[in-house]
Amino acid sequence: MNAIDQTRRMLSLVTYLKERPGARVEDVARAFGISEDELVSDLDVLPMCGTSFRGGDLLDIDTDGERIWWHNPAALAAEAAEPLRLAADEATALLVAARAVSTLPGLRESDRQALLRATAKVETAAGEAAGASSRLSVTFESEGGVFADVDRAIAERRRLWIRYYSPARDEVTEREIDPIRLVSVGHTYVEAWCRRSEARRTFRLDRVAEIKILDEPSAPPEIELRDLSEALVQPAAEDPEVVVEVGPGGRWVAEYYPHDSADELPDGGLRITLRTPEPASLRRLALRLGRDGRIVSPPELADSARQAAREALAAYDGLEAVRTARVVEAGVPGPHAVPDGSGDGRE
């Protein structure tokens, strides 16, 4: 039984119970082909549903274990329906959000005008409550403009030009992409056909430095939709294999990185085998892990990670030496000096 099937059953259950006040639990369970425990579980959820979350609008349904009682069935009756009313805080939030969205760059003009007309109607209906919303404003981060342009390009089936920062290579590249869809998993991404690499790629919107909608039509190859339940970025079988060993403090890697295997180590750590199209990008992971992990193979990547760690330590030591020298030149005791405790009353 999946969530959609359960939702359908519960909607049917509402109609069934409305027509049968005081229905017996065993009879209802039998009618729906479920156990009494499953029915009671549904009944625990129904009181959290209704036309709104205000008192009296939620379904007032309970059971004594033998019969089911619905105390306010008229709340959903057509004759009892009332016009939608917004509280002052709800009206304020709606108006502020609507005005903010209307300023998004890349929003189609027809959509903007429709939104402004709807906003004006809400302002009129809200009356005095609309006054507070005029004193509030929302500013979207740069990603908002990128999102709007990508969304528009998808809707109009047009190609995009972007300047994109790749952390794996630590460089900004220019690309033309045919956007396919937007995906939100923690961050927001656009899945697209990249004309530069001639392959499907996923780009994180907050790494897009510049974006333009081109006149060329977007024509990505026919692509089979993927199951994103495991991970947004899924490695291919031909991607290079990397082996990472982590201690107990690094076990989180197996939770955040798609991997082929994760074998237990005697010290409570893991030996993780994974695949990635850009092994060099895992140097950052090695630096982040510190003493909690290391790259085992391929050997050249392990050597590269160790070299990056040595360079980072050398840079840190150099900065610390410069800071200490400046402190000494200023006549202030350095970080290893021991103050004599005189003159200020402190020990």
Side-chain angles (χ1 to χ4, degrees), residues 14-186:
V14 169
T15 302
Y16 186 94
L17 294 177
K18 183 179 178 182
E19 297 173 352
R20 296 168 179 80
R24 296 180 63 84
V25 170
E26 58 180 334
D27 294 338
V28 177
R30 187 183 308 110
F32 282 84
I34 59 177
S35 69
E36 292 184 18
D37 287 341
E38 288 176 307
L39 175 59
V40 171
S41 178
D42 287 348
L43 296 177
D44 288 338
V45 175
L46 285 177
M48 292 183 279
C49 306
T51 55
S52 79
F53 289 104
R54 298 182 182 282
D57 293 337
L58 297 176
L59 305 183
D60 188 4
I61 297 176
D62 65 26
T63 177
D64 59 5
E66 294 184 4
R67 293 184 178 275
I68 304 170
W69 304 100
W70 187 348
H71 303 291
N72 64 340
L76 296 184
E79 60 273 14
E82 296 182 358
L84 176 63
R85 298 181 183 276
L86 294 177
D89 58 336
E90 293 173 325
T92 299
L94 182 60
L95 288 170
V96 170
R99 292 194 188 103
V101 172
S102 68
T103 64
L104 281 175
L107 187 67
R108 289 185 289 272
E109 188 58 28
S110 58
D111 293 340
R112 191 190 313 278
Q113 293 303 320
L115 180 58
L116 291 175
R117 289 194 296 271
T119 303
K121 292 179 180 178
V122 175
E123 286 179 335
T124 301
E128 294 181 1
S133 68
S134 64
R135 297 190 292 272
L136 300 173
S137 63
V138 174
T139 302
F140 288 101
E141 296 181 0
S142 58
E143 181 181 313
V146 175
F147 181 98
D149 283 342
V150 173
D151 183 55
R152 178 183 170 191
I154 292 174
E156 299 179 1
R157 300 192 176 189
R158 292 165 64 183
R159 186 172 300 175
L160 288 168
W161 172 88
I162 61 172
R163 290 180 63 244
Y164 185 76
Y165 172 69
S166 173
R169 293 186 295 274
D170 193 25
E171 64 178 0
V172 177
T173 58
E174 295 184 8
R175 304 164 184 257
E176 289 189 6
I177 63 173
D178 293 337
I180 300 170
R181 59 176 174 170
L182 286 158
V183 181
S184 181
V185 183

Side-chain angles (χ1 to χ4, degrees), residues 198-221:
E198 287 299 314
R200 181 174 60 187
R201 292 288 184 263
T202 303
F203 302 95
R204 217 171 94 174
L205 296 196
D206 61 356
R207 292 175 180 164
V208 175
E210 189 176 354
I211 185 170
K212 295 178 183 177
I213 302 177
L214 303 178
D215 292 332
E216 289 87 344
S218 172

